[in-house]
Amino acid sequence: MIKKEIRIIGIDDSPFDKFKEKEILAIGVVMRGGKCIDGILSTKVEVDGNNATARLVEMINKSKFRSQLRCIFLDGIALAGFNVIDIRELSKKTGIPVVTIIRRKPNVARIKEVLNKLGQKEKIGLLDKAGSVVKIWHIYAQPVGISIEKLKEILKLVCTRSNIPEPLRLAHLIASGIVKGESKGRA
């Protein structure tokens, strides 16, 4: 049985102009269940770079919240364009289960095609390593280190205002509010 006030973190990146910015802001919102914010974390990641995994590991492991966290939710498998996160490495180095959350079923073949065209073939291995995308109710997820049954229990607690876990929704709003002056768009 999952505690109602399970501590989780949702991480999303800020909006950016890929032609002007080299680094962008990533925000982590730490919550108890889907109702109470305990804290906000932030880091910077390179646009289309290779440092997202290392930066997230550092951000989480240096945080005072680290020992209380039971799950990491990511808005997709990449930050800042194609800075692909090694979700297995993130889980291993933090000791916390990781789940990517995706609104619509991803076209993995198309993503791989784009990475090939961009000369970033090494990132295709990270996509394959991440594992299968599974549909859970109205969203898609890639869970690492957690069973589908346990993930469903957590989602029931943290999807309080939408189909997206509340920490992810808030990370999106905060990141876009900081960068654009006000929050816009769907989380």
Side-chain angles (χ1 to χ4, degrees):
M1 176 115 181
I2 303 290
K3 291 182 180 181
K4 287 184 181 180
E5 292 200 346
I6 183 174
R7 300 298 198 295
I8 56 173
I9 185 169
I11 301 169
D12 197 5
D13 56 1
S14 62
F16 65 97
D17 182 335
K18 67 179 179 177
F19 300 109
K20 293 182 181 177
E21 298 174 68
K22 293 188 186 325
E23 271 193 336
I24 61 99
L25 182 67
I27 294 288
V29 175
V30 177
M31 292 188 76
R32 279 183 275 154
K35 296 182 179 164
C36 182
I37 297 175
D38 275 353
I40 308 290
L41 306 177
S42 68
T43 191
K44 297 248 179 158
V45 295
E46 298 168 353
V47 173
D48 295 333
N50 297 305
N51 69 344
T53 306
R55 291 286 175 95
L56 294 182
V57 167
E58 180 182 32
M59 177 181 80
I60 291 166
N61 283 342
K62 286 186 173 184
S63 165
K64 67 181 181 180
F65 304 106
R66 163 60 199 88
S67 65
Q68 299 172 348
L69 293 174
R70 299 295 172 254
C71 193
I72 300 167
F73 283 106
L74 302 172
D75 185 17
I77 197 163
L79 296 172
F82 283 112
N83 197 328
V84 180
I85 302 161
D86 183 336
I87 61 175
R88 294 196 180 278
E89 188 73 8
L90 178 59
S91 179
K92 180 181 173 188
K93 289 193 172 179
T94 60
I96 304 168
V98 174
V99 180
T100 65
I101 298 293
I102 313 152
R103 277 191 185 275
R104 288 174 288 286
K105 187 172 183 176
N107 184 341
V108 178
R110 176 73 180 124
I111 295 167
K112 289 178 179 181
E113 184 181 309
V114 171
L115 287 171
N116 265 327
K117 284 182 182 177
L118 293 173
Q120 297 187 15
K121 293 178 184 177
E122 72 282 357
K123 294 180 182 180
I124 293 171
L126 295 176
L127 296 177
D128 293 335
K129 183 179 175 184
S132 299
V133 174
V134 295
K135 185 172 185 179
I136 300 176
W137 304 311
H138 300 290
I139 58 173
Y140 293 86
Q142 282 176 295
V144 171
I146 188 171
S147 70
I148 298 296
E149 294 76 29
K150 195 168 187 178
L151 175 56
K152 285 180 179 180
E153 282 185 63
I154 294 171
L155 288 171
K156 284 179 186 175
L157 292 172
V158 301
C159 294
T160 56
R161 306 225 184 294
S162 73
N163 294 326
I164 302 299
E166 192 65 5
L168 274 184
R169 192 182 78 79
L170 292 174
H172 173 83
L173 292 173
I174 292 166
S176 61
I178 290 169
V179 171
K180 296 287 188 182
E182 74 175 317
S183 58
K184 293 181 181 177
R186 294 167 48 121

